Amino acid sequence: QIFEDAIKICFTIFLFEHFKPSSIESCCTYIICGNICGEFSSMLLSMFLYIKGAYGYKNNKKSKDITSRIIKITVPVALSSYLKSALSSIKQIIIPKCAEKSGLTSKEALSSYGEISGMAVPVVLFPTAISSSVANLIIPEISRCYIKKQNDKIAGVVTGVYTIIVEFSFCVATVLALY
């Protein structure tokens, strides 16, 4: 998640710095392009880590100490949550500042960003609510398979969900492109 947000922010800043937006539509386009770039890079990283983990799984040794196992899971999750909040705050400060550099007044830049993040982005990102829900729904199944050491079933479930989400994404992208 941190990697994805960092890519989103950096690519959006790059677009605002190198291609000065001339209207609210171009600001919206730059923000959406940044979000798409971040989501795509996150997908590639997830696929790489999944493939790497699937082949390196048999060599892992299990720790007997439950406290250290819990800490190994909870600390990175907590830190990533804190960092995500910080990156989100930075993004919300930087985007209006970059819009100001394109010639908008401070009030216009903040107003434009509010319009984009309040109306356009939720419409474009609404389908992620469905794909995120599907991804969260498979966690119990993957946990059951992990406990039973059914790695082939885990791979099948994950592959099936990836396939469904990619097909759904292409359908939504087509509808949004035609709209």
Side-chain angles (χ1 to χ4, degrees):
Q1 189 69 40
I2 295 168
F3 175 74
E4 177 184 327
D5 287 341
I7 295 293
K8 283 180 187 179
I9 291 170
C10 291
F11 193 71
T12 303
I13 290 171
F14 172 80
L15 289 175
F16 273 98
E17 289 292 324
H18 289 80
F19 306 101
K20 304 292 183 202
S22 58
S23 65
I24 185 110
E25 290 84 12
S26 58
C27 288
C28 184
T29 303
Y30 294 169
I31 292 170
I32 291 171
C33 287
N35 286 341
I36 290 169
C37 185
E39 294 286 341
F40 185 73
S41 61
S42 177
M43 180 202 66
L44 290 177
L45 179 64
S46 295
M47 286 175 54
F48 170 75
L49 293 175
Y50 171 74
I51 291 168
K52 181 181 175 193
Y55 290 115
Y57 175 74
K58 295 176 184 171
N59 296 329
N60 290 340
K61 294 182 180 177
K62 292 185 179 177
S63 172
K64 303 264 185 199
D65 184 17
I66 190 71
T67 305
S68 67
R69 288 172 57 194
I70 290 173
I71 289 173
K72 286 179 184 177
I73 293 171
T74 57
V75 170
V77 169
L79 290 176
S80 69
S81 177
Y82 303 147
L83 193 55
K84 181 181 177 189
S85 295
L87 288 173
S88 179
S89 298
I90 291 169
K91 179 180 85 169
Q92 292 174 3
I93 293 169
I94 289 176
I95 290 176
K97 292 292 181 190
C98 290
E100 283 180 45
K101 289 181 181 178
S102 71
L104 297 175
T105 66
S106 178
K107 186 176 180 178
E108 291 171 335
L110 196 55
S111 174
S112 297
Y113 180 66
E115 287 178 30
I116 292 167
S117 60
M119 293 185 290
V121 173
V123 169
V124 173
L125 297 180
F126 171 73
T128 61
I130 295 168
S131 61
S132 296
S133 297
V134 170
N136 286 329
L137 287 174
I138 67 167
I139 291 173
E141 180 64 21
I142 290 175
S143 298
R144 274 192 291 279
C145 294
Y146 178 77
I147 290 170
K148 295 178 182 177
K149 300 186 187 303
Q150 297 173 332
N151 297 331
D152 293 338
K153 190 170 182 183
I154 291 173
V157 169
V158 171
T159 302
V161 169
Y162 266 129
T163 303
I164 290 169
I165 289 175
V166 167
E167 290 171 353
F168 175 73
S169 298
F170 280 124
C171 292
V172 170
T174 302
V175 168
L176 288 175
L178 295 175
Y179 177 67

Coordinates of all heavy atoms in Angstrom, one line a residue, residues 53-123:
G53 N 6.9 -15.7 -3.4 CA 6.4 -16.4 -2.2 C 6.0 -17.8 -2.5 O 6.2 -18.7 -1.7
A54 N 5.3 -18.0 -3.7 CA 4.8 -19.3 -4.0 C 6.0 -20.3 -4.2 O 5.9 -21.5 -3.9 CB 4.0 -19.3 -5.3
Y55 N 7.1 -19.8 -4.8 CA 8.2 -20.7 -5.0 C 9.1 -20.8 -3.8 O 9.8 -21.8 -3.6 CB 9.0 -20.2 -6.2 CG 8.3 -20.4 -7.5 CD1 7.9 -19.3 -8.3 CD2 8.0 -21.7 -8.0 CE1 7.2 -19.5 -9.5 CE2 7.2 -21.8 -9.1 CZ 6.9 -20.7 -9.9 OH 6.2 -20.9 -11.0
G56 N 9.2 -19.8 -3.0 CA 10.0 -19.9 -1.8 C 9.4 -20.3 -0.6 O 10.0 -20.4 0.5
Y57 N 8.1 -20.7 -0.7 CA 7.3 -21.1 0.5 C 7.8 -22.3 1.2 O 7.8 -22.4 2.4 CB 5.8 -21.3 0.1 CG 5.0 -21.8 1.2 CD1 4.6 -21.0 2.2 CD2 4.6 -23.2 1.2 CE1 3.8 -21.4 3.2 CE2 3.8 -23.6 2.3 CZ 3.4 -22.7 3.3 OH 2.6 -23.2 4.3
K58 N 8.3 -23.3 0.5 CA 8.7 -24.6 1.1 C 9.9 -24.5 1.9 O 10.2 -25.3 2.8 CB 8.9 -25.6 0.0 CG 7.6 -25.9 -0.8 CD 7.9 -26.9 -1.9 CE 6.6 -27.1 -2.6 NZ 6.7 -27.8 -3.9
N59 N 10.7 -23.4 1.7 CA 12.0 -23.2 2.5 C 11.8 -22.5 3.8 O 12.7 -22.4 4.5 CB 13.0 -22.5 1.6 CG 13.3 -23.3 0.4 OD1 13.3 -24.5 0.4 ND2 13.7 -22.6 -0.7
N60 N 10.6 -22.0 4.1 CA 10.4 -21.2 5.3 C 10.3 -22.1 6.5 O 9.7 -23.2 6.5 CB 9.1 -20.4 5.2 CG 9.2 -19.2 4.2 OD1 10.3 -18.8 3.9 ND2 8.1 -18.7 3.8
K61 N 10.9 -21.7 7.6 CA 10.8 -22.4 8.9 C 9.9 -21.6 9.8 O 9.9 -20.4 9.9 CB 12.2 -22.5 9.5 CG 13.1 -23.3 8.7 CD 14.5 -23.4 9.4 CE 15.4 -24.3 8.6 NZ 16.7 -24.4 9.2
K62 N 9.0 -22.4 10.4 CA 8.0 -21.8 11.3 C 8.6 -21.5 12.7 O 9.3 -22.3 13.2 CB 6.8 -22.7 11.5 CG 6.0 -22.9 10.2 CD 4.7 -23.7 10.4 CE 4.0 -23.8 9.1 NZ 2.8 -24.6 9.3
S63 N 8.2 -20.3 13.2 CA 8.7 -19.9 14.5 C 7.7 -20.5 15.5 O 6.5 -20.4 15.4 CB 8.7 -18.4 14.6 OG 9.0 -18.0 15.9
K64 N 8.3 -21.0 16.6 CA 7.4 -21.5 17.7 C 6.9 -20.4 18.6 O 5.9 -20.6 19.3 CB 8.2 -22.6 18.5 CG 8.8 -23.7 17.6 CD 7.9 -24.8 17.7 CE 8.6 -26.0 16.9 NZ 7.7 -27.0 16.5
D65 N 7.6 -19.3 18.7 CA 7.3 -18.2 19.6 C 6.1 -17.4 19.0 O 6.3 -16.7 18.1 CB 8.5 -17.4 19.9 CG 8.2 -16.3 20.9 OD1 7.2 -16.4 21.6 OD2 9.0 -15.3 21.0
I66 N 4.9 -17.5 19.6 CA 3.7 -16.9 19.1 C 3.8 -15.4 19.2 O 3.4 -14.6 18.3 CB 2.5 -17.4 19.8 CG1 1.2 -16.9 19.1 CG2 2.4 -17.0 21.2 CD1 0.9 -17.5 17.8
T67 N 4.5 -14.8 20.3 CA 4.6 -13.4 20.4 C 5.4 -12.8 19.3 O 5.0 -11.8 18.7 CB 5.2 -13.1 21.8 OG1 4.5 -13.7 22.8 CG2 5.3 -11.6 22.0
S68 N 6.5 -13.4 19.0 CA 7.3 -12.8 17.9 C 6.6 -12.9 16.6 O 6.8 -12.1 15.7 CB 8.7 -13.5 17.8 OG 8.6 -14.9 17.5
R69 N 5.8 -14.0 16.4 CA 5.1 -14.1 15.1 C 4.0 -13.1 15.0 O 3.8 -12.5 13.9 CB 4.4 -15.5 15.0 CG 5.5 -16.6 14.8 CD 4.9 -18.0 14.9 NE 3.8 -18.3 14.0 CZ 3.0 -19.3 14.1 NH1 3.2 -20.2 15.1 NH2 2.0 -19.5 13.3
I70 N 3.4 -12.8 16.1 CA 2.3 -11.7 16.1 C 3.0 -10.4 15.8 O 2.5 -9.5 15.1 CB 1.5 -11.7 17.4 CG1 0.7 -13.0 17.5 CG2 0.7 -10.5 17.6 CD1 0.0 -13.2 18.8
I71 N 4.1 -10.1 16.5 CA 4.8 -8.8 16.3 C 5.2 -8.6 14.9 O 5.1 -7.6 14.3 CB 5.9 -8.7 17.3 CG1 5.4 -8.5 18.7 CG2 6.9 -7.5 16.9 CD1 6.4 -8.5 19.8
K72 N 5.7 -9.7 14.3 CA 6.2 -9.7 12.9 C 5.1 -9.3 12.0 O 5.3 -8.8 10.9 CB 6.8 -11.0 12.5 CG 8.2 -11.2 13.1 CD 8.7 -12.6 12.7 CE 10.1 -12.9 13.3 NZ 10.6 -14.2 13.0
I73 N 3.8 -9.6 12.3 CA 2.7 -9.3 11.5 C 2.2 -7.9 11.8 O 1.9 -7.1 10.9 CB 1.6 -10.3 11.6 CG1 2.1 -11.7 11.1 CG2 0.3 -9.9 10.9 CD1 1.1 -12.8 11.4
T74 N 2.0 -7.6 13.1 CA 1.3 -6.4 13.5 C 2.1 -5.1 13.3 O 1.5 -4.1 12.9 CB 0.8 -6.5 14.9 OG1 1.9 -6.7 15.8 CG2 -0.3 -7.6 15.1
V75 N 3.4 -5.2 13.6 CA 4.2 -4.0 13.5 C 4.2 -3.4 12.0 O 4.0 -2.2 11.8 CB 5.6 -4.2 14.1 CG1 6.5 -3.0 13.7 CG2 5.5 -4.4 15.6
P76 N 4.5 -4.3 11.0 CA 4.5 -3.7 9.7 C 3.1 -3.2 9.2 O 3.0 -2.2 8.5 CB 5.0 -4.9 8.8 CG 5.7 -5.8 9.7 CD 5.1 -5.6 11.1
V77 N 2.1 -3.9 9.6 CA 0.7 -3.5 9.3 C 0.4 -2.1 9.9 O -0.1 -1.2 9.2 CB -0.3 -4.5 9.7 CG1 -1.7 -3.9 9.6 CG2 -0.2 -5.8 8.9
A78 N 0.8 -1.9 11.2 CA 0.5 -0.6 11.8 C 1.4 0.5 11.2 O 0.9 1.6 11.0 CB 0.9 -0.8 13.3
L79 N 2.7 0.2 11.0 CA 3.5 1.2 10.4 C 3.1 1.6 9.0 O 3.1 2.8 8.6 CB 5.0 0.7 10.3 CG 5.7 0.6 11.7 CD1 7.1 0.0 11.5 CD2 5.8 1.9 12.4
S80 N 2.6 0.6 8.2 CA 2.1 1.0 6.9 C 0.9 1.8 7.0 O 0.7 2.7 6.1 CB 1.9 -0.3 6.0 OG 0.8 -1.0 6.5
S81 N 0.0 1.6 7.9 CA -1.2 2.4 8.1 C -0.8 3.8 8.5 O -1.4 4.8 7.9 CB -2.0 1.7 9.2 OG -3.2 2.5 9.4
Y82 N 0.1 4.0 9.4 CA 0.6 5.3 9.8 C 1.2 6.0 8.6 O 0.9 7.2 8.3 CB 1.6 5.3 10.9 CG 1.1 4.5 12.1 CD1 1.9 3.8 12.9 CD2 -0.3 4.6 12.5 CE1 1.5 3.2 14.1 CE2 -0.7 3.9 13.6 CZ 0.2 3.2 14.4 OH -0.3 2.5 15.5
L83 N 2.0 5.3 7.8 CA 2.7 6.0 6.7 C 1.7 6.3 5.6 O 1.8 7.4 5.0 CB 3.8 5.0 6.1 CG 4.7 5.7 5.2 CD1 5.4 6.9 5.7 CD2 5.8 4.7 4.8
K84 N 0.7 5.5 5.4 CA -0.4 5.7 4.4 C -1.1 7.0 4.8 O -1.4 7.9 3.9 CB -1.3 4.6 4.3 CG -2.4 4.8 3.3 CD -3.4 3.6 3.3 CE -4.5 4.0 2.3 NZ -5.6 3.0 2.3
S85 N -1.4 7.2 6.1 CA -2.1 8.4 6.5 C -1.2 9.6 6.3 O -1.7 10.7 5.8 CB -2.4 8.3 8.0 OG -3.4 7.3 8.2
A86 N 0.1 9.5 6.5 CA 1.0 10.6 6.3 C 1.1 11.0 4.8 O 1.0 12.1 4.4 CB 2.4 10.3 6.9
L87 N 1.2 9.9 4.0 CA 1.3 10.2 2.5 C 0.0 10.8 2.0 O 0.0 11.6 1.1 CB 1.6 8.9 1.8 CG 3.0 8.3 2.0 CD1 3.1 7.0 1.3 CD2 4.0 9.3 1.4
S88 N -1.2 10.3 2.5 CA -2.4 10.9 2.1 C -2.5 12.4 2.5 O -3.0 13.2 1.7 CB -3.6 10.1 2.8 OG -4.8 10.7 2.4
S89 N -2.0 12.7 3.6 CA -2.0 14.1 4.1 C -1.1 15.0 3.2 O -1.5 16.1 2.7 CB -1.6 14.3 5.5 OG -2.5 13.6 6.3
I90 N 0.0 14.4 2.9 CA 1.0 15.1 2.0 C 0.4 15.3 0.6 O 0.5 16.4 0.0 CB 2.3 14.4 1.9 CG1 3.0 14.4 3.3 CG2 3.2 14.9 0.8 CD1 4.2 13.5 3.4
K91 N -0.3 14.3 0.1 CA -0.9 14.4 -1.2 C -2.0 15.5 -1.2 O -2.0 16.3 -2.2 CB -1.6 13.1 -1.6 CG -2.3 13.1 -2.9 CD -2.9 11.8 -3.3 CE -4.2 11.6 -2.7 NZ -5.0 10.5 -3.1
Q92 N -2.8 15.6 -0.2 CA -3.8 16.6 -0.1 C -3.3 18.0 0.0 O -4.0 19.0 -0.3 CB -4.8 16.3 1.0 CG -5.6 15.0 0.8 CD -6.4 14.6 1.9 OE1 -6.5 15.3 3.0 NE2 -7.1 13.5 1.8
I93 N -2.0 18.1 0.5 CA -1.4 19.5 0.5 C -0.7 19.8 -0.8 O -0.8 20.9 -1.3 CB -0.4 19.5 1.7 CG1 -1.1 19.4 3.0 CG2 0.5 20.8 1.6 CD1 -0.2 19.2 4.2
I94 N 0.0 18.8 -1.4 CA 0.8 19.1 -2.6 C 0.0 19.3 -3.8 O 0.3 20.2 -4.6 CB 1.8 17.9 -2.8 CG1 2.8 17.9 -1.7 CG2 2.4 18.0 -4.2 CD1 3.8 16.7 -1.8
I95 N -1.1 18.6 -4.0 CA -1.9 18.8 -5.3 C -2.4 20.2 -5.4 O -2.3 20.8 -6.5 CB -3.0 17.7 -5.4 CG1 -2.3 16.3 -5.6 CG2 -4.0 18.0 -6.5 CD1 -3.3 15.2 -5.6
P96 N -3.1 20.8 -4.4 CA -3.5 22.2 -4.6 C -2.3 23.1 -4.8 O -2.4 24.1 -5.6 CB -4.3 22.5 -3.3 CG -4.7 21.2 -2.8 CD -3.6 20.2 -3.2
K97 N -1.2 22.9 -4.2 CA 0.0 23.7 -4.4 C 0.5 23.7 -5.8 O 0.9 24.7 -6.4 CB 1.1 23.4 -3.4 CG 0.8 23.7 -2.0 CD 0.8 25.2 -1.7 CE 0.5 25.4 -0.3 NZ 0.2 26.8 0.0
C98 N 0.5 22.4 -6.4 CA 0.9 22.3 -7.8 C -0.1 23.0 -8.7 O 0.3 23.5 -9.7 CB 1.0 20.8 -8.1 SG 2.5 20.0 -7.3
A99 N -1.4 22.9 -8.4 CA -2.4 23.6 -9.2 C -2.2 25.1 -9.2 O -2.4 25.8 -10.2 CB -3.8 23.2 -8.7
E100 N -1.8 25.6 -8.0 CA -1.5 27.0 -7.9 C -0.3 27.4 -8.9 O -0.4 28.5 -9.5 CB -1.1 27.4 -6.5 CG -2.2 27.5 -5.5 CD -1.7 27.9 -4.1 OE1 -0.9 28.8 -4.0 OE2 -2.2 27.3 -3.2
K101 N 0.7 26.6 -9.0 CA 1.8 26.8 -9.9 C 1.4 26.9 -11.3 O 2.1 27.5 -12.2 CB 2.9 25.8 -9.7 CG 3.6 25.8 -8.4 CD 4.7 24.8 -8.3 CE 5.4 24.8 -7.0 NZ 6.4 23.8 -6.9
S102 N 0.2 26.3 -11.7 CA -0.2 26.3 -13.1 C -1.0 27.6 -13.4 O -1.4 27.8 -14.5 CB -1.1 25.1 -13.3 OG -2.4 25.3 -12.7
G103 N -1.1 28.5 -12.4 CA -1.8 29.7 -12.6 C -3.1 30.0 -11.9 O -3.6 31.0 -12.0
L104 N -3.6 29.0 -11.2 CA -4.8 29.1 -10.5 C -4.5 29.9 -9.2 O -3.4 29.7 -8.6 CB -5.4 27.8 -10.1 CG -5.8 26.9 -11.3 CD1 -6.3 25.5 -10.8 CD2 -7.0 27.6 -12.1
T105 N -5.5 30.6 -8.7 CA -5.3 31.2 -7.3 C -5.4 30.1 -6.3 O -5.9 29.0 -6.6 CB -6.4 32.3 -7.1 OG1 -7.7 31.6 -7.0 CG2 -6.4 33.3 -8.2
S106 N -5.0 30.5 -5.1 CA -5.1 29.5 -4.0 C -6.5 29.0 -3.8 O -6.8 27.8 -3.6 CB -4.6 30.1 -2.7 OG -4.6 29.2 -1.6
K107 N -7.5 29.9 -3.8 CA -8.9 29.5 -3.6 C -9.4 28.6 -4.8 O -10.0 27.7 -4.6 CB -9.7 30.8 -3.6 CG -11.1 30.6 -3.2 CD -11.9 31.9 -3.0 CE -13.3 31.6 -2.7 NZ -14.1 32.9 -2.5
E108 N -9.0 29.0 -6.0 CA -9.4 28.2 -7.2 C -8.8 26.8 -7.1 O -9.5 25.8 -7.4 CB -9.0 28.9 -8.5 CG -9.8 30.1 -8.8 CD -9.2 30.9 -10.0 OE1 -8.0 30.7 -10.3 OE2 -10.0 31.6 -10.6
A109 N -7.5 26.7 -6.8 CA -6.8 25.4 -6.7 C -7.5 24.5 -5.7 O -7.7 23.3 -5.9 CB -5.4 25.6 -6.4
L110 N -7.7 25.1 -4.5 CA -8.4 24.3 -3.4 C -9.8 23.9 -3.8 O -10.2 22.7 -3.6 CB -8.3 25.0 -2.1 CG -8.6 24.3 -0.8 CD1 -7.6 23.1 -0.7 CD2 -8.5 25.2 0.4
S111 N -10.5 24.8 -4.4 CA -11.9 24.5 -4.9 C -11.9 23.4 -6.0 O -12.7 22.5 -5.9 CB -12.5 25.8 -5.4 OG -13.8 25.5 -6.0
S112 N -10.9 23.5 -6.9 CA -10.8 22.5 -8.0 C -10.5 21.1 -7.4 O -11.1 20.1 -7.8 CB -9.8 22.9 -9.0 OG -10.1 24.1 -9.6
Y113 N -9.5 21.1 -6.5 CA -9.2 19.8 -5.9 C -10.3 19.2 -5.1 O -10.6 18.0 -5.1 CB -7.9 20.0 -5.0 CG -7.5 18.7 -4.4 CD1 -7.0 17.6 -5.1 CD2 -7.6 18.5 -3.0 CE1 -6.6 16.5 -4.6 CE2 -7.2 17.3 -2.4 CZ -6.7 16.3 -3.2 OH -6.4 15.1 -2.6
G114 N -11.1 20.1 -4.4 CA -12.2 19.6 -3.7 C -13.3 19.0 -4.6 O -13.9 18.0 -4.3
E115 N -13.5 19.7 -5.8 CA -14.5 19.2 -6.7 C -14.0 17.8 -7.3 O -14.8 16.9 -7.4 CB -14.6 20.2 -7.9 CG -15.4 21.4 -7.6 CD -15.5 22.3 -8.7 OE1 -15.5 21.9 -9.9 OE2 -15.6 23.5 -8.5
I116 N -12.7 17.7 -7.6 CA -12.2 16.5 -8.2 C -12.3 15.4 -7.2 O -12.8 14.3 -7.5 CB -10.7 16.7 -8.6 CG1 -10.7 17.6 -9.8 CG2 -10.1 15.4 -9.0 CD1 -9.3 18.1 -10.2
S117 N -11.8 15.6 -6.0 CA -11.8 14.5 -5.0 C -13.1 14.2 -4.4 O -13.4 13.1 -4.0 CB -10.8 14.9 -3.9 OG -11.2 16.0 -3.2
G118 N -14.0 15.2 -4.5 CA -15.4 15.0 -4.0 C -16.3 14.4 -5.0 O -17.3 13.7 -4.6
M119 N -16.1 14.6 -6.3 CA -17.1 14.1 -7.3 C -16.5 13.1 -8.3 O -17.0 12.0 -8.4 CB -17.7 15.3 -8.0 CG -18.6 16.1 -7.2 SD -19.4 17.4 -8.1 CE -18.1 18.5 -8.5
A120 N -15.4 13.5 -8.9 CA -14.9 12.7 -10.0 C -14.2 11.4 -9.5 O -14.4 10.4 -10.1 CB -13.9 13.6 -10.9
V121 N -13.3 11.6 -8.6 CA -12.5 10.4 -8.1 C -13.4 9.3 -7.5 O -13.2 8.2 -7.9 CB -11.4 10.9 -7.2 CG1 -10.7 9.7 -6.6 CG2 -10.4 11.8 -7.9
P122 N -14.4 9.6 -6.7 CA -15.2 8.5 -6.2 C -16.0 7.8 -7.3 O -16.1 6.6 -7.2 CB -16.2 9.3 -5.3 CG -15.5 10.5 -4.8 CD -14.7 10.9 -6.0
V123 N -16.4 8.5 -8.4 CA -17.0 7.8 -9.5 C -16.1 6.8 -10.2 O -16.4 5.7 -10.5 CB -17.6 8.8 -10.5 CG1 -18.1 8.1 -11.7 CG2 -18.8 9.6 -9.8

